């Protein structure tokens, strides 16, 4: 099934009437993305979570031979589901278990071990477009003792939730065509030290993949906190790094001179997610957390950041530590363990929809504008931004994003058709960014300008 992306007449008319003006602002909903969002089903997500829980434990070092228990059985089941999705993809979706060896580390890897990431790759339709998008959840689970490979470790929320969301996106998106490569992956070794994600990130760096963005979903299915008993199914956190791990000396100098400490590529991705979610997903707000991850823990986006890629983490707003890294048991009338009965699948559905809308917008977007700059030739109370048009998919126009320097999110959007614009906002008082946009509103990630003379 191929998605139809012919602009409806009324939508085209609205674009033609309102877009050419320098100060017009447009919000265009893609009807195909709206339709895809309705295809996300809470019952599908719950069924996937319960199936993954049924393998007893998915500890990274658990049984790889059994057909019914352990990490191996879970890996083969996920691949079999990918293969089912492939039947509707016209041959574009392929799957594999990417096996690799990990040396014993004297900590959480007791012996040299073979690990495997389960990957589905949706091939793009444009052979000249080398961009790549990656979305992940981690397959492995754990009990209280991180080295306990025998006890039940259901891992319903941590992280069957992330894997289920990723698989739902694979099921829905594999029926459509996108210009460049999309990778859906259930990584392993997260609880032992982010091994699966690191393997994939280092491979991507070695082979010079043009990874536009990596989205990690880790614990997105619980809405009730322990301790405080807060319940909120309308918010989800998105974590993003402040200063890129691989920032060069020249980049650091430019960051300091422009005060762009809060505008790393990963942070622009986080803001992008918030904008798209507000547009396509009801009753869900993105809580932008300005740190790479939580204290004492880490996620699979981190190895991608460490290898120079743009990456973020989705994580529920309120964590429940009674159901996280706990042996399944009952003490003092409190039931512990990461079990499906403690999850909120309607909440998880909304977070999955946020992932879907973001991933589709990026996957159908033009490439980002090139050489984005802001002129600093003279003292003025206006600002002039310049850039070059990207190659590849035609660009309908550009969004100039504006916010006050103290604001966490973009506050105003100006649409322009040219590659240079003078706007009545002082470069001293505001931050700006520019993104390419097509006629259905699919926008590239924003690019922060550098001073040009």
């Amino acid at each position: 099934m191929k998605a139809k992306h012919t602009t409806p007449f009324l939508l085209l008319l609205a674009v033609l009437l309102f877009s050419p003006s320098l100060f017009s602002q447009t919000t265009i909903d893609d009807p195909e993305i709206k339709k895809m969002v309705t295809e996300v089903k809470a019952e599908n997500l719950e069924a996937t979570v319960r199936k993954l829980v049924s393998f007893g434990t998915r500890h990274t070092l658990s049984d790889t031979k059994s057909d019914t228990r352990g990490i191996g059985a879970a890996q083969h089941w996920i691949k079999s589901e990918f293969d089912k999705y492939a039947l509707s993809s016209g041959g574009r979706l392929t799957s594999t278990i990417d096996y690799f060896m990990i040396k014993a580390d004297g900590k959480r890897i007791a012996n040299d071990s073979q690990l495997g990431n389960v990957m589905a790759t949706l091939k793009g339709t444009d052979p000249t477009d080398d961009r790549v998008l990656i979305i992940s959840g981690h397959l492995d689970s754990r009990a209280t003792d991180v080295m306990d490979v025998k006890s039940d470790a259901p891992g319903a929320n941590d992280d069957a939730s992330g894997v289920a969301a990723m698989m739902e996106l694979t099921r829905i998106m594999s029926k459509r065509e996108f210009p460049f490569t999309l990778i859906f992956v259930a990584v392993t070794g997260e609880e032992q030290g982010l091994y699966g994600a690191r393997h994939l990130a280092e491979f991507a760096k070695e082979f010079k993949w043009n990874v536009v963005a990596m989205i990690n979903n880790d614990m997105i299915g619980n809405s009730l906190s322990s301790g405080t008993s807060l319940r909120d199914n309308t918010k989800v956190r998105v974590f993003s790094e402040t200063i890129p791990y691989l920032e060069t000396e020249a980049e650091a100098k430019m960051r300091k001179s422009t005060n762009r400490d809060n505008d790393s590529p990963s942070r622009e991705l986080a803001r992008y997610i918030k904008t798209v979610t507000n547009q396509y997903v009801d009753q869900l707000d993105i809580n932008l957390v300005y740190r790479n991850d939580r204290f004492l823990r880490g996620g699979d986006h981190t190895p991608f950041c460490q290898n120079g890629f743009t990456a973020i983490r989705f994580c529920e707003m309120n964590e429940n530590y009674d159901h996280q890294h706990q042996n399944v048991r009952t003490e003092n009338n409190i039931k512990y363990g990461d079990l499906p009965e403690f999850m909120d699948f309607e909440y998880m559905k909304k977070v999955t929809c946020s992932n879907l809308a973001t991933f589709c917008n990026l996957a159908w977007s033009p490439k980002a504008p090139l050489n984005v700059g802001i002129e600093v030739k003279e003292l003025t109370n206006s600002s002039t931004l310049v850039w070059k048009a990207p190659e590849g998919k035609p660009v309908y126009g550009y969004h100039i994003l504006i916010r006050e320097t103290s604001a966490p999110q973009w506050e105003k959007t100006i649409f322009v058709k040219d590659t240079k614009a003078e706007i009545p906002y002082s470069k001293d008082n505001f931050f700006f960014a520019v993104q390419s946009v097509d006629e259905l509103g699919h926008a590239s990630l924003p690019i922060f300008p550098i001073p040009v003379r």
Side-chain angles (χ1 to χ4, degrees), residues 197-198 201-203 205 245-246 302-309:
R198 182 169 294 109
E202 290 176 352
F203 184 91
K205 183 178 180 180
Y245 276 91
L246 296 186
T302 298
F304 283 86
C305 293
Q306 291 170 337
N307 280 278
F309 298 116

Side-chain angles (χ1 to χ4, degrees), residues 256-323:
K256 294 173 183 177
S257 68
T258 57
N259 295 284
R260 60 169 298 179
D261 301 86
N262 203 23
D263 284 89
S264 69
S266 295
R267 193 134 301 166
E268 299 299 3
L269 172 59
R271 293 192 181 100
Y272 185 100
I273 292 169
K274 185 176 180 70
T275 298
V276 171
T277 300
N278 287 343
Q279 184 175 354
Y280 285 99
V281 185
D282 293 328
Q283 300 297 323
L284 184 69
D285 187 39
I286 302 298
N287 188 279
L288 299 175
V289 182
Y290 288 166
R291 52 169 47 106
N292 184 61
D293 213 324
R294 305 147 305 150
F295 287 109
L296 303 178
R297 291 159 296 169
D300 291 311
H301 60 301
T302 298
F304 283 86
C305 293
Q306 291 170 337
N307 280 278
F309 298 116
T310 299
I312 59 87
R313 172 186 179 145
F314 272 92
C315 188
E316 62 205 20
M317 190 68 199
N318 298 298
E319 295 184 55
N320 196 312
Y321 302 113
D322 293 344
H323 311 305

Side-chain angles (χ1 to χ4, degrees), residues 115-183:
L115 278 58
N117 294 332
V118 191
M119 296 175 57
T121 301
L122 186 62
K123 185 178 180 180
T125 57
D126 183 353
T128 67
D129 195 333
D130 68 347
R131 288 178 292 172
V132 177
L133 287 176
I134 301 173
I135 187 166
S136 80
H138 74 82
L139 177 58
D140 57 306
S141 62
R142 59 167 288 185
T144 302
D145 180 359
V146 73
M147 297 304 292
D148 181 355
V149 303
K150 298 294 185 181
S151 298
D152 281 350
N157 188 40
D158 185 13
D159 183 34
S161 66
V163 173
M166 175 274 296
M167 292 176 67
E168 188 74 342
L169 262 67
T170 313
R171 180 184 69 84
I172 295 169
M173 296 182 72
S174 60
K175 301 175 184 179
R176 277 84 176 179
E177 293 184 356
F178 301 89
F180 59 92
T181 299
L182 311 181
I183 294 177

Side-chain angles (χ1 to χ4, degrees), residues 131 207 279 419-421:
R131 288 178 292 172
F207 288 92
Q279 184 175 354
T419 56
K420 181 175 183 177

Side-chain angles (χ1 to χ4, degrees), residues 234-433:
T234 65
K235 292 184 177 66
V236 63
R237 294 177 293 178
V238 170
F239 290 85
S240 58
E241 67 177 0
T242 302
I243 299 170
Y245 276 91
L246 296 186
E247 183 182 66
T248 65
E249 185 175 340
E251 289 168 341
K253 183 177 180 180
M254 179 59 68
R255 172 176 55 80
K256 294 173 183 177
S257 68
T258 57
N259 295 284
R260 60 169 298 179
D261 301 86
N262 203 23
D263 284 89
S264 69
S266 295
R267 193 134 301 166
E268 299 299 3
L269 172 59
R271 293 192 181 100
Y272 185 100
I273 292 169
K274 185 176 180 70
T275 298
V276 171
T277 300
N278 287 343
Q279 184 175 354
Y280 285 99
V281 185
D282 293 328
Q283 300 297 323
L284 184 69
D285 187 39
I286 302 298
N287 188 279
L288 299 175
V289 182
Y290 288 166
R291 52 169 47 106
N292 184 61
D293 213 324
R294 305 147 305 150
F295 287 109
L296 303 178
R297 291 159 296 169
D300 291 311
H301 60 301
T302 298
F304 283 86
C305 293
Q306 291 170 337
N307 280 278
F309 298 116
T310 299
I312 59 87
R313 172 186 179 145
F314 272 92
C315 188
E316 62 205 20
M317 190 68 199
N318 298 298
E319 295 184 55
N320 196 312
Y321 302 113
D322 293 344
H323 311 305
Q324 187 183 129
H325 297 182
Q326 294 280 358
N327 287 345
V328 178
R329 68 195 191 279
T330 300
E331 291 181 0
N332 300 320
N333 295 319
I334 297 174
K335 191 168 185 178
Y336 293 88
D338 190 356
L339 296 163
E341 64 196 76
F342 300 115
M343 294 178 65
D344 181 340
F345 291 102
E346 287 298 324
Y347 171 67
M348 183 178 164
K349 172 187 171 181
K350 290 192 290 186
V351 180
T352 304
C353 289
S354 173
N355 274 261
L356 178 64
T358 299
F359 222 53
C360 288
N361 267 283
L362 284 172
W364 273 318
S365 72
K367 293 182 180 178
L370 303 171
N371 302 333
V372 180
I374 184 167
E375 292 185 354
V376 291
K377 299 177 181 178
E378 55 187 8
L379 302 177
T380 66
N381 284 311
S382 61
S383 298
T384 299
L385 292 107
V386 295
W387 59 90
K388 290 185 178 180
E391 297 179 349
K393 178 180 179 177
V395 174
Y396 183 74
Y398 303 91
H399 285 158
I400 297 176
L401 307 179
I402 305 170
R403 75 177 198 272
E404 292 192 27
T405 60
S406 60
Q409 176 69 355
W410 299 112
E411 298 174 307
K412 186 178 181 66
T413 303
I414 294 176
F415 178 85
V416 299
K417 296 283 286 186
D418 296 327
T419 56
K420 181 175 183 177
E422 182 179 355
I423 56 177
Y425 293 87
S426 170
K427 56 185 171 292
D428 298 323
N429 299 338
F430 296 91
F431 285 138
F432 307 101

